[in-house]
Amino acid sequence: RSHCDWSSDVCSSDLDHGFGYVTLYGHASELVASQNEEVQRGDVIARVGSTGIATSPHLHYEVRVQGIAQNPANFILPEYIRY
């Protein structure tokens, strides 16, 4: 599910990875991937923004397993961390 509702200043994308895993990326300034588009690791799906009541650009990254929020740090592969 991807959506931008500029009337409420919300832009986010949910990716269904199967097996009950879903990731949400929020506060986007632009959604690059289309709804129902298949994406691969490393593909750009959205551009970081500052929507909602955010005070600066950042990414809201959320992981849910069977609908239950998880610690997203447990799902970030070390080789993809950039400082």
Side-chain angles (χ1 to χ4, degrees):
R1 181 176 67 95
S2 297
H3 73 283
C4 284
D5 180 356
W6 298 115
S7 64
S8 65
D9 210 19
V10 172
C11 194
S12 68
S13 183
D14 295 3
L15 295 181
D16 184 346
H17 301 268
F19 306 101
Y21 288 80
V22 174
T23 51
L24 180 134
Y25 305 83
H27 295 294
S29 63
E30 174 190 5
L31 297 178
V32 176
S34 302
Q35 188 167 349
N36 298 320
E37 178 181 346
E38 187 172 316
V39 295
Q40 302 297 316
R41 179 181 293 155
D43 288 352
V44 175
I45 58 168
R47 307 240 183 258
V48 172
S50 183
T51 58
I53 60 171
T55 57
S56 63
H58 69 285
L59 172 70
H60 175 95
Y61 174 61
E62 187 174 314
V63 178
R64 292 187 174 265
V65 179
Q66 304 297 339
I68 300 170
Q70 306 292 310
N71 180 348
N74 296 333
F75 296 87
I76 297 175
L77 300 173
E79 62 266 25
Y80 287 93
I81 298 174
R82 297 183 193 141
Y83 296 98

